[in-house]
Amino acid sequence: MHPLVRTIAPDRLPELLRLMPKAELHIHIEGSLEPELIFALAQRNGVALPYASVDELRSAYAFTNLQSFLDIYYAGASVLITEQDFYDMTRAYLLRAAQDNVIHTEIFFDPQTHTARGVAMQTVIQGLHRACTDAQAELGISAALILCFLRHLPEEDAFETLEQALPYRDLIVGVGLDSGELGNPPENFARVFARCRELGLHLVAHAGEEGPPAYIWTALDLLKVERIDHGVQAIKDPALMQRLAADRIALTVCPLSNLKLCVFPDLAQHNLRQLLDAGLAATVNSDDPAYFGGYINDNFTQTFAATGMDAQYAYTLARNSFEASFADVTVQRAHLERLNSWFETFR
C-alpha cells in the first residue's frame, strides 16, 4: 500500500474522493448538455424540440442500450448552432468539473454531428477552444480537445472531417472514434488513423464497451491507439489483459455510463476493481454526464460505495488519470506532485 494512504480512515473516503485532484479523460462535451441548457439554447436559436418541458426531456433519458441513448443524444445536439452555443456548453461543463476538483480534462467533440447540420467546423472548434482558454485563466483547469470520428459513418466522411479540421490542427491534441460500436469495428478507420498519426495527433478509440475484446486488439494493432476508451470487455480475454497491463495502455472507464447502458446489471458487479488488481491503468470518467446520472465525482463515490474499494484505489485511479493524459511531461509531473502533496495533507 502507498504510504500516503495507509492511515486514511474508511469513513473519510467519500470526502477524499470528492476533494482529491484528478483528470478526466473521457467526456463527450455534447453529452454534458443538461436539459435546462438544451431548452435555453433552443429558445435562443428558435429550435423546436419534441419535448414540452425540461422534465419531459429528462424523463426521456431512459436508455436500454447505446443506440437508444445515441438517438436522443443527437436530438439534443441540434440546438447547438452558434460559436457562443459551443462556448456556453463547454463553459458549463468546465465549471462543473472545477467543482469536482478536476484540474486537467481532455474533451471529446463530434464535429460530424454539427457539420452535417450545416454548422461550420470553425464555429464548433473556436467555441470549444475559447471556453478551454478561459477556464485555464479563470479556473486553473488545463483542457485539451480530442476530435472524434463517428464510426457509424463511412471512413470517407472521417477523412473529409479531418480536412475541415486541419486549419485548426494546433487547437486539437488528438482524435478518437465513437458512436455505435456494434457492427462498426475499428479496422474500418485504419487509413484515417494512419493519416492522423502522420500529423502527430494522439490517438484513442472507443472499444470493448459493448463490442468484443477483438475490437480492443484491432484498435491497438491496426489503429495504433494510445488509450482505450471504456475497454471493460477486456476482462474476457486473459492475453489481452496481460498486453494492456504490460504496455500500460490506459482504459478510460465510465462506471455510471456502463450501468445506465446495461453493460453491467449493477455497480456492485462492475469490474473496475478487477481491472486495477490485474495491473491495468484504468481511470474513472463520466462519459455523457447529463444523460448518465452523474459527473466524475458521482462516478467515483457511487462506484467505491458499491465495490468496497479503499483509499489506495482512489490514489491509483487519480495517479493513472494524470499519467495517461496527453499533457506534456512537465505538466504531468506538476499534477502528480500536487496529487501527492494533497494526499499528504489530507492524511
Side-chain angles (χ1 to χ4, degrees), residues 109-131:
F109 69 105
D110 290 334
Q112 287 154 293
T113 301
H114 313 299
T115 53
R117 299 181 289 113
V119 179
M121 181 70 75
Q122 178 180 0
T123 300
V124 178
I125 294 181
Q126 296 284 25
L128 300 176
H129 174 69
R130 195 157 52 85

Side-chain angles (χ1 to χ4, degrees), residues 23-275:
E24 177 150 46
L25 306 177
H26 188 152
I27 164 75
H28 297 271
I29 198 61
E30 295 91 350
S32 71
L33 259 180
E34 293 289 346
E36 292 80 1
L37 186 54
I38 288 176
F39 267 82
L41 296 180
Q43 202 164 16
R44 184 157 91 189
N45 294 322
V47 176
L49 291 171
Y51 305 97
S53 67
V54 167
D55 289 340
E56 191 180 311
L57 175 55
R58 202 178 282 282
S59 67
Y61 291 10
F63 318 111
T64 50
N65 59 27
L66 183 58
Q67 193 54 53
S68 60
F69 153 66
L70 288 169
D71 293 341
I72 195 167
Y73 170 86
Y74 293 128
S78 69
V79 301
L80 298 161
I81 294 171
T82 68
E83 184 180 315
Q84 191 61 38
D85 298 339
F86 289 92
Y87 177 93
D88 290 346
M89 168 179 65
T90 309
R91 173 121 184 120
Y93 160 70
L94 289 164
L95 286 167
R96 191 66 182 68
Q99 288 176 19
D100 282 357
N101 296 293
V102 172
I103 60 173
H104 177 77
T105 179
E106 294 174 8
I107 297 172
F108 295 144
F109 69 105
D110 290 334
Q112 287 154 293
T113 301
H114 313 299
T115 53
R117 299 181 289 113
V119 179
M121 181 70 75
Q122 178 180 0
T123 300
V124 178
I125 294 181
Q126 296 284 25
L128 300 176
H129 174 69
R130 195 157 52 85
C132 292
T133 303
D134 287 354
Q136 178 74 70
E138 297 167 27
L139 304 171
I141 294 185
S142 55
L145 297 175
I146 294 177
L147 182 158
C148 288
F149 301 120
L150 299 179
R151 69 200 304 158
H152 67 273
L153 298 176
E155 190 179 37
E156 290 67 38
D157 257 50
F159 268 112
E160 201 175 306
T161 299
L162 179 61
E163 283 305 310
Q164 292 172 16
L166 282 182
Y168 314 99
R169 162 69 185 88
D170 293 348
L171 308 184
I172 299 165
V173 73
V175 298
L177 185 66
D178 63 9
S179 190
E181 187 182 8
L182 292 173
N184 299 307
E187 55 265 33
N188 291 357
F189 295 86
R191 291 182 309 121
V192 75
F193 267 70
R195 177 70 186 121
C196 291
R197 195 163 63 253
E198 288 170 4
L199 291 165
L201 289 158
H202 288 290
L203 308 176
V204 300
H206 284 50
E209 176 189 12
E210 292 184 329
Y215 282 17
I216 301 176
W217 282 108
T218 50
L220 294 171
D221 293 335
L222 296 180
L223 303 192
K224 309 270 196 258
V225 299
E226 300 159 75
R227 289 196 308 242
I228 295 289
D229 299 315
H230 291 297
V232 292
Q233 302 298 337
I235 205 135
K236 296 174 176 174
D237 184 336
L240 177 59
M241 290 284 282
Q242 288 179 338
R243 161 93 179 269
L244 292 168
D247 293 351
R248 294 297 290 169
I249 303 290
L251 304 184
T252 62
V253 179
C254 306
L256 291 180
S257 165
N258 294 159
L259 178 67
K260 191 85 169 176
L261 296 179
C262 309
V263 176
F264 294 94
D266 56 63
L267 276 182
Q269 292 181 55
H270 199 285
N271 64 18
L272 177 62
R273 184 174 186 156
Q274 290 98 296
L275 296 171

